Amino acid sequence: MVQVQAQPDASRPIAPEKVREGIDLTVNGERFVHTGDPQMPLLWYLRDVLRLTGTKYGGELSGADLVLLDGKAVPAMGVPMARLAQRKVTTVEGLAGADGSLHPLQQAFIDEDAIGCGYCTPGWLIAALDLLNRKPRPSDDDIDQLPVLCRCGCHTRVRRAIRRVANGGQS
Ligand code: FES
């Protein structure tokens, strides 16, 4: 049987293919384009779209949803996708090295037994990283003011872990 290919209808103008618009952002070094609701909070995008579930929902002011946005710790629940064009997001999943080696803060949290149930831990790690980037030798007061709540009462051990990193690995 001879196949007859349909010929384009020269009388109809060819519509240019529509460029799909979206919000172009980088998460943990990878580029993504969000084409959904621009009002979606970043937290839902990370957890439900990218399946990066390290960042937690903990309610307002819990700090469990902290991520680095262009290097600064912000609550992912409070940032709509519309504000993320050309921005760089780092979540707790982005802290370890490409070879899987732990970030010094992650190691210090383990060494100082600063993890209870672990729900707040991603928030602490992001908040601590932000603090150490701004102030490599933070005071106890600086650490105590980090905007993270731990219902398991790990604050003292978290402080020790952050100080361990600030002291170059010594507790
Ligand atoms: S370790 Fe459980 S809430 Fe902090």
Side-chain angles (χ1 to χ4, degrees):
M1 183 192 225
V2 179
Q3 296 262 329
V4 179
Q5 265 201 305
Q7 295 297 309
D9 180 353
S11 66
R12 292 178 60 195
I14 299 169
E17 197 172 306
K18 198 167 180 186
V19 175
R20 208 161 175 224
E21 303 215 343
I23 296 154
D24 186 330
L25 72 158
T26 302
V27 179
N28 298 337
E30 270 192 82
R31 289 186 69 198
F32 296 93
V33 178
H34 173 63
T35 56
D37 181 0
Q39 293 312 314
M40 174 188 268
L42 171 60
L43 181 62
W44 297 153
Y45 180 72
L46 294 172
R47 292 183 57 85
D48 297 345
V49 180
L50 301 188
R51 300 289 180 201
L52 294 172
T53 55
T55 312
K56 303 287 190 280
Y57 176 74
E60 223 177 309
L61 308 180
S62 76
D65 63 338
L66 289 176
V67 295
L68 292 180
L69 178 56
D70 294 333
K72 187 173 181 308
V74 299
M77 194 60 198
V79 182
M81 294 304 294
R83 281 207 238 137
L84 293 170
Q86 312 301 320
R87 311 285 299 273
K88 286 195 178 116
V89 176
T90 304
T91 70
V92 68
E93 289 90 346
L95 299 192
D99 61 353
S101 57
L102 294 180
H103 187 281
L105 270 169
Q106 292 173 309
Q107 189 59 56
F109 269 61
I110 293 169
D111 294 342
E112 294 291 350
D113 197 18
I115 306 166
C117 72
Y119 201 85
C120 67
T121 309
W124 280 121
L125 291 168
I126 294 292
L129 189 56
D130 177 37
L131 174 63
L132 291 170
N133 285 342
R134 287 182 285 114
K135 197 166 183 182
R137 307 285 287 189
S139 65
D140 283 350
D141 207 36
D142 293 326
I143 297 170
D144 293 346
Q145 285 179 28
L146 290 177
V148 184
L149 294 176
C150 177
R151 289 172 177 81
C152 298
C154 294
H155 295 84
T156 307
R157 287 171 283 159
V158 165
R159 191 197 292 156
R160 279 206 304 264
I162 296 171
R163 292 195 69 75
R164 179 188 274 259
V165 175
N167 293 336
Q170 309 298 312
S171 53

Tab-separated table of all heavy atoms in Angstrom, residues 114-121 124 149-152 154, ligand 1:
chain	number	residue	atom	x	y	z
A	114	ALA	N	23.430	16.222	68.041
A	114	ALA	CA	22.527	17.368	68.068
A	114	ALA	C	21.219	17.112	67.315
A	114	ALA	O	20.525	18.050	66.950
A	114	ALA	CB	23.248	18.580	67.480
A	115	ILE	N	20.917	15.864	67.071
A	115	ILE	CA	19.705	15.516	66.316
A	115	ILE	C	18.809	14.658	67.195
A	115	ILE	O	19.226	13.597	67.671
A	115	ILE	CB	20.062	14.743	65.022
A	115	ILE	CG1	21.070	15.538	64.206
A	115	ILE	CG2	18.807	14.446	64.216
A	115	ILE	CD1	21.745	14.729	63.098
A	116	GLY	N	17.584	15.159	67.441
A	116	GLY	CA	16.615	14.356	68.178
A	116	GLY	C	15.759	13.608	67.166
A	116	GLY	O	16.211	12.660	66.528
A	117	CYS	N	14.527	14.082	66.976
A	117	CYS	CA	13.667	13.452	65.951
A	117	CYS	C	14.138	13.845	64.553
A	117	CYS	O	13.814	13.177	63.584
A	117	CYS	CB	12.217	13.864	66.158
A	117	CYS	SG	11.879	15.580	65.702
A	118	GLY	N	14.875	14.950	64.458
A	118	GLY	CA	15.439	15.365	63.169
A	118	GLY	C	14.573	16.318	62.369
A	118	GLY	O	15.015	16.806	61.324
A	119	TYR	N	13.370	16.588	62.864
A	119	TYR	CA	12.463	17.421	62.057
A	119	TYR	C	13.020	18.829	61.838
A	119	TYR	O	12.908	19.386	60.759
A	119	TYR	CB	11.089	17.499	62.726
A	119	TYR	CG	9.990	17.887	61.776
A	119	TYR	CD1	9.357	16.924	60.995
A	119	TYR	CD2	9.599	19.221	61.625
A	119	TYR	CE1	8.359	17.275	60.098
A	119	TYR	CE2	8.608	19.579	60.737
A	119	TYR	CZ	7.989	18.599	59.978
A	119	TYR	OH	7.008	18.947	59.087
A	120	CYS	N	13.644	19.377	62.870
A	120	CYS	CA	14.147	20.748	62.775
A	120	CYS	C	15.550	20.803	62.157
A	120	CYS	O	16.029	21.885	61.821
A	120	CYS	CB	14.187	21.381	64.158
A	120	CYS	SG	15.410	20.594	65.231
A	121	THR	N	16.217	19.661	62.064
A	121	THR	CA	17.645	19.650	61.709
A	121	THR	C	17.950	20.353	60.382
A	121	THR	O	18.923	21.133	60.317
A	121	THR	CB	18.177	18.205	61.701
A	121	THR	OG1	17.815	17.587	62.945
A	121	THR	CG2	19.681	18.178	61.546
A	124	TRP	N	18.103	23.986	61.113
A	124	TRP	CA	19.313	24.376	61.853
A	124	TRP	C	20.521	24.438	60.930
A	124	TRP	O	21.344	25.353	61.020
A	124	TRP	CB	19.623	23.362	62.956
A	124	TRP	CG	18.844	23.468	64.206
A	124	TRP	CD1	18.043	22.500	64.751
A	124	TRP	CD2	18.801	24.573	65.127
A	124	TRP	NE1	17.502	22.936	65.926
A	124	TRP	CE2	17.950	24.200	66.181
A	124	TRP	CE3	19.387	25.834	65.147
A	124	TRP	CZ2	17.676	25.047	67.248
A	124	TRP	CZ3	19.124	26.678	66.207
A	124	TRP	CH2	18.275	26.284	67.240
A	149	LEU	N	13.169	26.485	65.962
A	149	LEU	CA	12.668	25.909	67.210
A	149	LEU	C	12.916	24.411	67.196
A	149	LEU	O	12.702	23.761	66.172
A	149	LEU	CB	11.159	26.150	67.342
A	149	LEU	CG	10.718	27.597	67.492
A	149	LEU	CD1	9.194	27.659	67.514
A	149	LEU	CD2	11.304	28.204	68.759
A	150	CYS	N	13.361	23.892	68.333
A	150	CYS	CA	13.521	22.443	68.433
A	150	CYS	C	12.671	21.947	69.590
A	150	CYS	O	12.935	22.274	70.749
A	150	CYS	CB	14.989	22.086	68.679
A	150	CYS	SG	15.208	20.304	68.905
A	151	ARG	N	11.669	21.179	69.241
A	151	ARG	CA	10.764	20.679	70.283
A	151	ARG	C	11.379	19.531	71.075
A	151	ARG	O	10.867	19.122	72.092
A	151	ARG	CB	9.434	20.255	69.651
A	151	ARG	CG	8.637	21.455	69.194
A	151	ARG	CD	7.406	21.082	68.393
A	151	ARG	NE	6.647	22.287	68.037
A	151	ARG	CZ	6.938	23.087	67.027
A	151	ARG	NH1	7.968	22.814	66.253
A	151	ARG	NH2	6.207	24.151	66.765
A	152	CYS	N	12.479	18.998	70.554
A	152	CYS	CA	13.159	17.912	71.270
A	152	CYS	C	14.203	18.457	72.254
A	152	CYS	O	14.851	17.672	72.937
A	152	CYS	CB	13.843	16.973	70.286
A	152	CYS	SG	12.705	16.164	69.155
A	154	CYS	N	17.094	20.189	71.699
A	154	CYS	CA	18.500	19.953	71.306
A	154	CYS	C	19.339	21.225	71.273
A	154	CYS	O	20.490	21.183	70.814
A	154	CYS	CB	18.554	19.309	69.919
A	154	CYS	SG	17.864	17.655	69.876
B	1	FES	S1	15.239	17.317	66.875
B	1	FES	FE1	13.093	17.068	67.093
B	1	FES	S2	12.291	19.064	66.796
B	1	FES	FE2	14.420	19.321	66.859
